[in-house]
């Protein structure tokens, strides 16, 4: 419980913008992480699933809710355009997990869900601005400075809620370090904060709620769309992913798959941070598989609200070696 004492020590004060894409309700709840949101969506089903079908090209953290709930998992493939290839033995009592990759595969997700007579849940942790009527979970910290937080949206009211409220004060230290000392130390502290997300679902912390209310998500959306348009105009011709001229939703990044050798290393040497999506996929799959190739070659170029179309032109020049 936040101390309501009048006076005393001054704390941080955040403006209230209030245009987060989601409104809390009985069918949309704010929790401590995306994986916690998935767990609540699974627990909110009328019947316990026989199993959950999970794509091979996804972060391993998504497996934690099924492990905690002792629900069997089967993996399925995607094609080289990140579209799901559904298993033939899919049954009505299976839950199908579908990933909207970076905000670009929403239509493929909807089409796959129509093929499944049972429950489909959308992993939109990399697609904050994508909307769907399907049960879905989001991770806003991938789109702005947050230490934690997740959103679970269902087609029905939730019958189960977290018993505890999360605490983000210590986890959020990397946000201050990023501001004061730069990337290196903040990155290490961010990794430590990530480890604290492996918990049972909790209500979203007061710190994260305040920060979410302070961010201008309309501006975040607009700038990401502008930066995507600039990058795609310059790099669309070399991208082996078939991306649209206009992004269907403000994307997390510009996913580039090119044939340029050693491009990741050269961009990192030039000062571009490029996380690997996802190293565990490389370890768990054969070198010939689509998922292994995507994990090795997909470069998530930054296009977030900190940058301008002019920054994107400089980034594209680095990619093209100009």
């Amino acid at each position: 419980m936040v101390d309501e004492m009048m006076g005393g020590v001054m704390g941080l004060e955040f403006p209230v913008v209030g245009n987060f894409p989601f409104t809390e309700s009985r069918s949309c709840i704010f929790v401590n992480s995306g994986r916690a949101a998935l767990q609540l969506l699974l627990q909110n089903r009328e019947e316990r699933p026989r199993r959950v079908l999970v794509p091979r090209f996804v972060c391993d953290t998504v497996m934690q809710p099924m492990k905690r709930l002792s629900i069997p998992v089967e993996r399925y493939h995607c094609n080289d355009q990140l579209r799901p290839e559904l298993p033939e033995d899919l049954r009505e009592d299976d839950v199908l997990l579908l990933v909207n990759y970076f905000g670009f595969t929403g239509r493929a997700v909807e089409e796959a869900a129509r093929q499944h007579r049972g429950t489909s849940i959308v992993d939109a942790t990399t697609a904050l601005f994508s909307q769907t009527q399907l049960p879905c979970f989001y991770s806003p910290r991938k789109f702005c400075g947050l230490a934690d937080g997740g959103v679970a949206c269902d087609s029905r009211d939730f019958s189960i809620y977290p018993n505890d409220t999360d605490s983000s004060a210590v986890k959020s230290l990397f946000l201050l370090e990023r501001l004061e000392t730069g990337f290196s130390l903040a990155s290490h502290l961010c990794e430590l904060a990530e480890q604290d997300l492996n918990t049972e679902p909790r209500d979203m912390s007061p710190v994260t709620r305040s920060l979410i209310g302070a961010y201008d998500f309309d501006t975040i959306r607009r700038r990401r769309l502008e930066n995507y348009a600039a990058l795609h105009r310059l790099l669309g011709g070399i991208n082996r992913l078939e991306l649209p001229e206009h992004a269907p939703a403000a994307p997390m990044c510009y996913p580039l798959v090119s044939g340029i050798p050693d491009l990741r290393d050269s961009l990192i040497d030039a000062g571009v941070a490029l996380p690997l999506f996802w190293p565990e996929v490389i370890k768990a799959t054969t070198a010939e598989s689509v998922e292994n190739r995507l994990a090795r070659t997909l470069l998530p170029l930054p296009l977030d609200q900190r940058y301008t179309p002019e920054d994107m032109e400089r980034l594209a020049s680095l990619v093209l070696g100009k």
Side-chain angles (χ1 to χ4, degrees), residues 47-308:
E47 302 290 339
R48 179 182 173 83
R50 179 176 76 109
R51 59 180 181 169
V52 178
L53 281 297
V54 177
R56 294 185 183 276
F57 188 60
V58 74
C59 180
D60 269 2
T61 57
V62 81
M63 308 292 285
Q64 293 173 8
M66 285 75 81
K67 184 177 181 179
R68 282 198 287 267
L69 298 174
S70 299
I71 300 175
V73 171
E74 295 289 338
R75 310 301 293 266
Y76 68 90
H77 294 282
C78 68
N79 66 18
D80 61 1
Q81 296 300 316
L82 299 172
R83 272 52 173 179
E85 296 184 342
L86 300 186
E88 295 181 358
D89 62 343
L90 189 60
R91 289 187 4 184
E92 190 172 351
D93 54 352
D94 292 329
V95 166
L96 176 62
L97 185 68
L98 296 161
V99 179
N100 185 345
Y101 292 103
F102 315 117
F104 292 102
T105 58
R107 181 174 295 180
V109 161
E110 299 287 341
E111 292 173 354
R114 284 193 289 270
Q115 299 177 40
H116 178 37
R117 296 179 60 188
T119 297
S120 295
I121 295 177
V122 181
D123 178 344
T125 52
T126 61
L128 181 67
F129 293 99
S130 299
Q131 301 291 325
T132 178
Q133 298 300 311
L134 296 167
C136 188
F137 61 101
Y138 300 87
S139 180
R141 67 190 179 90
K142 295 179 173 62
F143 287 77
C144 56
L146 299 169
D148 51 34
V151 177
C153 298
D154 208 340
S155 53
R156 65 181 76 183
D157 289 349
F158 281 90
S159 60
I160 184 169
Y161 293 87
N163 294 320
D164 300 313
T165 299
D166 200 23
S167 174
S168 301
V170 175
K171 286 183 290 185
S172 298
L173 179 60
F174 78 86
L175 300 174
L176 297 177
E177 288 290 354
R178 182 68 172 92
L179 183 65
E180 190 166 74
T181 65
F183 174 78
S184 297
L185 180 57
S187 180
H188 172 67
L189 292 175
C190 182
E191 292 173 2
L192 294 177
E194 171 82 19
Q195 297 173 13
D196 195 54
L197 299 179
N198 301 330
T199 67
E200 292 287 337
R202 299 172 183 167
D203 192 48
M204 183 181 285
S205 77
V207 170
T208 300
R209 286 178 180 275
S210 295
L211 286 170
I212 279 180
Y215 283 114
D216 183 352
F217 285 93
D218 288 344
T219 297
I220 290 172
R221 177 190 288 110
R222 175 177 55 80
R223 288 183 177 173
R224 285 174 176 268
L225 288 170
E226 291 172 352
N227 289 339
Y228 170 79
L231 270 183
H232 191 58
R233 174 175 55 84
L234 296 165
L235 299 179
I238 68 166
N239 199 346
R240 294 176 179 177
L241 288 180
E242 298 169 1
L243 300 180
E245 180 180 357
H246 303 289
M252 176 186 168
C253 63
Y254 185 84
L256 175 67
V257 177
S258 76
I260 302 175
D262 303 317
L263 180 58
R264 179 185 295 274
D265 290 341
S266 65
L267 289 177
I268 291 174
D269 290 343
V272 181
L274 291 172
L276 195 63
F277 289 102
W278 287 270
E280 56 266 38
V281 173
I282 297 174
K283 296 177 182 177
T285 57
T286 63
E288 298 77 22
S289 70
V290 169
E291 292 85 2
N292 189 291
R293 188 164 63 252
L294 284 169
R296 286 184 286 106
T297 61
L298 190 150
L299 304 182
L301 301 182
L303 49 62
D304 60 74
Q305 59 273 11
R306 295 170 292 181
Y307 307 111
T308 65

